[in-house]
Every structure is written in structure tokens, then in C-alpha cells.
Amino acid sequence: MKNLKNIFLMLIMVMFFNVLTVNAEAPYNTYTSDKDGYINRTQTAYTPMNKITTINNEKLKTPEHVFVDKEDYIYITDSGHNKIFILNKDYKFYKELASDKFGAVKSTFVTEDKIYVVDSYNSTIFVFDKNNLELLQEIGEPDSPIFKEGYKFRPTNIAVDIRGNIYVRSTGSIHGLMMLNREGEFLTFFGANPLKVPIVDKIRSYFLTEKQEEKLEKVFPDVPTNLAIDGKGFIYTVTSSIKSNPVKKFNISGTNYFPNDMVGIYSMESVWVGQYNNVFTVSSEGWVFEYDSTGNLLFLYGGKDFSSSRLGLLNRPISIATNSMDDVIIIDQGTKLIQTYRATEFTNAVHKAMLEYQEGNYDKSQDLWSYTLKYNSIFDNAHVGLGDAYLRNDRYELAYNEYYDARYNSGISKAFWEIRQVWLENNLNIVLIILLILLVIRCILKLLNKKTNFSTKISKKAGIVKKVKIIDDMAFVFEFLKHPLDGFYKIKMEKRVSKVSSTIIYLLVIAIYIAHKKWTNVLFVPDGRYFIGYKLFVIIFVAVLWIVSNYLICSINDGEGSISNIYNATAYALTPIIVIMPFVIAISNVLTLEQAVFYRLPIDLIIIWVLFLMFFMIKDIHNFEVGETCLVILRSIFTMLIIALFLFVLYSLGNQIYSFLHEIIREVITR
């Protein structure tokens, strides 16, 4: 019995320590972005490894920056000690770099043979030999007219390309990064953020003179916070003061390759490019972001450590880097330490798949992406990677399915293009034969019609069918579209159509709207089936509101049309939708993104046509002049807003009354 108790206690202790270990491994959740840009939880990407607070028996004072070279040596810049600690790949002390010339070292950049040290106090970049740490060069303020005119050279971070050109992030440099050659001569500014002028200032500038504008406070671009460079020469910047597109990827001409809608937040402090061209950033709030080479979010993890000093959480991180083992190394200046993270098996599979694809090993990348989907079946980046691999291996339908699962429109378009090409190659001869047969049939029918005149007989029989009122009213659509002004006259004066046919047209418009949302190519209409009912209700509500508001305003302004005239004429003004839109829906399913104009142009035509008909509907039904019609439309829109506001207030009051009565009834029942 005693042994059983001991075993039971041991099991409880093991379970307790396992729970502690799991919590210690990842005291945070890991997220990724889905096809719609929303953040979803995923498997843990990185687990916290350890904290480094002391190097060579010296406690870190003010750690500023971390850099990892190609041999995995780690350079820790500490302005408190005013030197650079160099660690080996095992995070053990290797040597240090110090100099009497240092004032306040801020950051480093290391090439194959040189170590660049940025001294913010002296506004100088020191260049050392990587092997013997001998000082080779001092780069101070460039001898350029722009600096003689008062522009400050205050470097904090740099990146160096393969030609030796130096890209400098300088405090307060509103024109972006400074580009220097290897001798330190100024070449140009590079990678500035676009100027954001408030709309109020834009409007005000139209009414001010040049002298008045000069007296106003100037609006300056946001200054990049940090920078990095990859092996191909692309420059990456991160800006802490902007939320939309805080990370940018520039080519040598200054073109940004990252999308404007990429996931990001304010307060991003540092950027680093990994060995798979994946991009890492860290925010001062403790969040670590990893993007792929095109700016799609792979992983987001971390969080703010306020007081518990939990392993993995960060207080005020300011610099990030990675090594060849995919360890993430972060300088946390708030707690004066170095925090390291180790990639999980899931993340390793993602990285290996990216590497195999970049090296052209599509079969291997395909297997690896499939492996990652076993961890997380809704990991959209894996679906895209798998789609890329299938596309490269000419497995177009499988690629299409993977892209479709991720709602990756660019990939869907590419895969569908290939599918369409294959279909045309296999079936073009059949299509041509069918067209030829149809042409022959048409010629035969023409010859038969000349001898038997059967078309006249068909027209007479069709005339009998057209005597049915509802069919005649629906057939009037085509006559109306040919001569809309005459059509409005007939609707008003001759009572040419009925409310039944108009109601059918409204129902057809609703049906086409639903068909448009459900069956249009996903490239042009995102799958939003769950919101169709809500959007449809809004459209019907706005349509009813328009008819009522327009009738009220026209009545006040001595309009001649009745509510029945407005109801019928509005319906027929919408008929371009039911005539053209079915063809647009059908043709969209054989188009790719490159042929999007053939989808958008007919829709633009429908909108213009309907607006034209609505304008002349109001003018002719109520017998207004052009100026009066414009005024009536504006007043109708204003009336719609007033009625909508009134209904909203009524709805809110009704909800409050209902809640009040519900609480009273519940209280009475309880007592």
C-alpha cells in the first residue's frame, strides 16, 4: 500500500513538472494570417531557449544591437561597456572589440573581412579588419553641400552591400536612408517613407498663399527605425511610427516590393533577413513577426513581460537576428539581456520547404509542405507553397485546388491559365467543328426560309403568346432598352406595364445578385456566402428607402408621377442588370486576372447605364427640367439619410424598451 502511495505521488510530481515545462517552453500563443488577412492561432513556431545576462563575467549594461555573420559569430553591441562582445555559435565568449576612439557604440555590420562599428556619439562609422581587429578606416560626415547646409549626419544603423556601398540610417533623416560609397562619399538618399499629409491640411492649402503656408508647421515623412540587407542586394527598412506597411523591401532603384496591406503594427524596432529570405521584425511591445520573401506573415508570437521575467516574454526589445540553425536572438534592453528562441519541428519543415522550392527541388518542397499541413491543415502559407510546387511540376488542377484553399488569387489565376491552355489544346478542334456546324445550319435555315417563309409563321404564333399580359410586359424590356425615353412615357401615360411584371424584375435583380455572389469567379468576387443575406437586406432596404424618399420629395416639388409610376419605372431602369449580368457571370469563369478588364468593363457599363436611366426616369416621370432633377436627387438622398436616422433611433429605443420589460418580467417571475 505504501509503494502505491509513493508511485501515485511520483506521478503527480511528474505531471506537475511537465505542466511547468510546457508553460516555460512557450508562455505565449503563436499566430499566422489566413487568406482574408485575419490572425489565427497556429502551432508553436519558436520555443524560448535561454537568457544571457553576463558575457565574459561582465553583466550587460546597455545592450543596443545584435548581428550574426555567415560563420554564426554573434556580435553584441553594448554602449554601457562601450564595446562589442563576440560570441561563437554556441553562445560562448570568443573575443571583444574595444577602442579608445569609441564614444558610444550603437550597432555593427559584419562582412566577410570587415567589421563596421557605428558610433552615435562621434557620428562616425569605424571599419575594422575582421581577423586582427585592426582599425582600417573612419567614416565621418561626408563632404557634401547638403551637410554643409545644416543637414545632420547622426548614424545609428547601417547595412553594406557586396560593392561596399553603405546604407546609413541617421537620426532625423527625413529623406530616408543615406547611401555612401566605400570611401564614405555621399551618393544619394534612399528608401524614404511616403509623405502623409492630413486631409485638412490638403484642403487648407488650396486657400492659403505661399507665405501663409511657410508659416505653418511642416509635415515630414516618417523616419525608418532600422534596416537590413539580403544576399541579392534588396534593402529592408522598418518604421516604428507607421502601422500600414511598416516593413518595406527596396530594390536598388527604390521600388518597394512588399504589399501595402501586409500585417504589421506600430512600434516595430528592428528588422533582419534570414537564410531563406524570410524577414524577421520585433516590436517594442514584445511581438516577433516572421514574413516570407513576398511579405506574407508566417508567424507572430511573443508578448510583453511586465514584471514576471518569464522566459520568452520581452520587456523592451530593440534588436533581432537569426543564425544558420534558425535560432532567433533578441536584445531586450528593458531587462538588459539577450533572449534566444529555438525553431520547432513544424517551423523547420516550413523553412526547409521554402529552401527546397527556392533551390528548384519542387518534389522535396511538395513533400515538406504536405508534412506541415499535417500539423495545421488551415496553414495557408503551406497551401500556397504546395500549390507552387504542383504548378512547377505541371500538376495544374492540384495547384488550383491548393491555391483555392488558400484563396491565393494570383496562384489561382496562374493555375487556371494553364488548365485553360491544356483544355484548348485538347478541344479546340472540336470547338471549331461545332462552330462550323452551327454556321452551316444557319445557312440552311436561311435557304429554307426563302422557300417556305416559316419565320413569318413562327412570328404569328409568338404574337399569340405575347397576348398574355405578363409575357408582353416582360418582352417590353427589350423595347424599353432600345428607346428608354419613349418607354418612360408609355409607363406613365399608357400604363404599359403592371406592378406584377415590375415585381418580377425586382425579384430577378435579387436572384442575379445572389448568383453573382455565388457563381462569379472567385478571382473577382471573394467567397462571402455567409454575408449574402445581410447585404441583400441592406440593398432592399436602401431601394425601398429610395422609392419612398423620391416620391415624397417629388410630391412636394409638384412632381406629376404617382408612387405606382415610380415603382414601375425604377424596375425597368434596372433591366440592364438582368440583361447583361448573366453573361458577365458566365464569362468570368473563363477569365484570369490578366483579362479582368473583360469582367469589370461590362459592370462599369451597367452602372453608367442604370444611373442614366434613373436620372431620366425622375426627369420624365415627374416632368422636371434637368436642374430640377439634380436638385430632387440630392434632396431625395438627404431624405433617405433622415429617414434612416429616424428608424435607427426608433430601433434603439425599441431595444431599450424591450430589455426593460424583459428585466421586469424576469424579476417578477423570479420573485
Side-chain angles (χ1 to χ4, degrees), residues 613-628:
L613 293 175
M614 292 294 288
F615 180 85
F616 281 96
M617 181 273 291
I618 297 169
K619 179 182 178 298
D620 292 350
I621 292 294
H622 297 288
N623 198 21
F624 289 145
E625 297 295 329
V626 173
E628 288 178 299

Side-chain angles (χ1 to χ4, degrees), residues 186-200:
F186 176 75
L187 299 177
T188 184
F189 287 103
F190 183 89
N193 288 302
L195 182 65
K196 295 185 295 184
V197 181
I199 190 168
V200 176

Side-chain angles (χ1 to χ4, degrees), residues 383-410:
H383 283 294
V384 172
L386 193 54
D388 289 341
Y390 282 139
L391 192 65
R392 291 286 186 174
N393 286 326
D394 299 336
R395 303 173 72 180
Y396 305 127
E397 291 188 4
L398 291 174
Y400 181 91
N401 292 333
E402 294 299 332
Y403 290 138
Y404 186 85
D405 286 341
R407 296 299 188 272
Y408 181 53
N409 283 354
S410 178

Side-chain angles (χ1 to χ4, degrees), residues 279-291:
V279 181
F280 295 84
T281 67
V282 64
S283 77
S284 60
E285 299 300 316
W287 293 104
V288 182
F289 295 76
E290 181 182 353
Y291 304 91

